Amino acid sequence: MRSARLMTPHLSPVKTGLGRRSHVVQWSLLLVLSLAIAGGLEALGIPAALLMGPMVAGGIVGLNGGTIRLNRVLVLACQTLIGTMIAGSITGDIVGTFLGNWPLFLGIVVCVITMSTLSGYMITRLNVLPGTTAIWGCSAGAATTMMVMAEAYGADVRLVAFMQYLRVVFVAAAAALVARYWAGLEGAPTAIVWFEPIAALSLAQTLAVAVFGGMLGWYLRIPAGVLLMPFLIGGLLSVTGSVHIHLPEWLLAISYAVLGWNIGLGFTRPVIAHARRVLLPTVASILVLMGISGILAFILTQTAGIDPLTAYLATSPGGMDSIAIIAASSNVDISFVMALQTARLLLVMAMGPPLARFVAKRAGARLPPA
């Protein structure tokens, strides 16, 4: 059996290139690159520049032999803060919208899951990847959760991680460009007030929601629970007026950067070398799935009166945390985006294991005992 170390999305660091430098030098370079790239994207008016800049910088460092990695607890804590931040945008109107259009929304979620599953089936059928690897790698669910499930079903977790995070990068980049150049967001974004006066009570309540929700999600082992539970609990408290969600911009910026670095640093030379055989099929499947999501977004705009950018983000098959950051940086209905993203995640969690086994069996892949 492969060691647990090989089951992580990052292979053991090999000291080449930047890896020969001290961690202080690597972190300093990563920080400088992140600030420079994020500043450039911000000047161009690209939404979520504080996520995209660190993501690109992390990829540059990782591909040049960087060996620095982020502490898992820090990443989870930042996901918790993102979930809490989103909760502050929840309104009661979203419930009525969903109840009035639930067949359409359910159909859209099922379409995204079906197309991602078909992509995995085709790659498996062509014997590009072994077992259920392609099925989990193409699955439109949370990347971390898909890797956990993939390991349980005997798939190559390194390839699953590569496929999942590559799709996150593609979708996040496309969503940011759509927000800037297609959805009518003109000019530079509103200036950010980094150190505005802090309401101590609101901040304390918000952090309490974040800590309690994150720990509850972790304890219950809910997929993406450290993001979902603060989002759900905070949203309920915010709608009822019990809590005013407030997080300072500098703290959110740190959270965005950490999540961007976590994705970017995963693209190392050993990972790319291991995944080179699946690169073209993976890119093709991602582009097809993004195209289908675009069509579904268009249907939403025509049938439910949803604005184009909100519809596109809601149907995008990317990471929930990155989509949430882009939504928060754009003029969209965040509660609608997160409601549809949450519905997709929950359906993937419910349908994923039996669907993967069924499709893998039909494709002729060998499965571990049930």
Side-chain angles (χ1 to χ4, degrees), residues 6-346:
L6 289 179
M7 288 298 184
T8 63
H10 306 302
L11 296 176
S12 300
V14 178
K15 292 189 176 181
T16 59
L18 288 175
R20 298 191 182 98
R21 305 292 182 179
S22 69
H23 281 193
V24 173
V25 172
Q26 293 183 52
W27 279 114
S28 299
L29 177 61
L30 179 63
L31 182 59
V32 170
L33 283 174
S34 299
L35 291 173
I37 298 172
L41 294 177
E42 191 76 23
L44 292 173
I46 302 296
L50 298 176
L51 168 73
M52 301 302 297
M55 186 188 299
V56 174
I60 292 173
V61 172
L63 290 173
N64 282 279
T67 56
I68 51 176
R69 297 293 180 265
L70 289 157
N71 183 280
R72 182 63 182 162
V73 174
L74 176 62
V75 175
L76 293 176
C78 289
Q79 289 180 331
T80 297
L81 291 175
I82 298 302
T84 309
M85 178 270 294
I86 302 164
S89 304
I90 299 299
T91 65
D93 296 339
I94 192 61
V95 177
T97 302
F98 257 73
L99 290 178
N101 298 277
W102 70 265
L104 174 64
F105 299 150
L106 179 62
I108 287 174
V109 172
V110 170
C111 281
V112 173
I113 294 174
T114 300
M115 288 306 302
S116 63
T117 303
L118 284 176
S119 296
Y121 171 82
M122 291 302 298
I123 295 176
T124 301
R125 189 67 177 173
L126 293 172
N127 293 320
V128 176
L129 290 172
T132 60
T133 299
I135 296 167
W136 293 116
C138 292
S139 181
T144 303
T145 305
M146 291 302 103
M147 286 185 284
V148 172
M149 290 187 171
E151 181 177 350
Y153 281 81
D156 188 325
V157 182
R158 292 172 294 178
L159 290 179
V160 172
F162 171 78
M163 296 171 74
Q164 285 284 336
Y165 282 118
L166 186 63
R167 188 177 72 242
V168 170
V169 171
F170 268 67
V171 171
L177 292 174
V178 165
R180 174 64 180 88
Y181 295 108
W182 180 71
L185 297 185
E186 300 291 342
T190 304
I192 299 174
V193 181
W194 292 108
F195 299 102
E196 62 182 349
I198 296 176
L201 179 59
S202 295
L203 179 59
Q205 291 175 334
T206 302
L207 293 178
V209 170
V211 171
F212 175 76
M215 293 182 65
L216 182 62
W218 174 261
Y219 176 77
L220 295 178
R221 298 186 181 276
I222 300 172
V226 294
L227 185 146
L228 281 177
M229 291 309 297
F231 163 59
L232 296 174
I233 295 173
L236 178 62
L237 294 174
S238 179
V239 168
T240 58
S242 303
V243 170
H244 173 64
I245 302 295
H246 173 74
L247 289 168
E249 291 292 342
W250 60 267
L251 183 58
L252 289 174
I254 293 174
S255 300
Y256 297 166
V258 167
L259 296 179
W261 288 335
N262 187 56
I263 295 171
L265 289 171
F267 290 91
T268 63
R269 286 183 181 178
V271 168
I272 298 299
H274 185 67
R276 64 183 182 277
R277 186 183 173 204
V278 75
L279 180 60
L280 290 180
T282 299
V283 171
S285 67
I286 290 171
L287 294 177
V288 169
L289 189 57
M290 289 171 61
I292 296 297
S293 297
I295 294 173
L296 295 174
F298 177 76
I299 293 174
L300 265 181
T301 63
Q302 298 300 307
T303 57
I306 305 299
D307 70 89
L309 184 54
T310 295
Y312 183 80
L313 293 177
T315 58
S316 291
M320 183 180 288
D321 46 10
S322 58
I323 293 297
I325 294 171
I326 295 171
S329 305
S330 310
N331 185 24
V332 300
D333 187 340
I334 301 179
S335 59
F336 181 89
V337 171
M338 293 309 300
L340 199 51
Q341 288 284 338
T342 302
R344 174 174 61 83
L345 176 63
L346 294 178

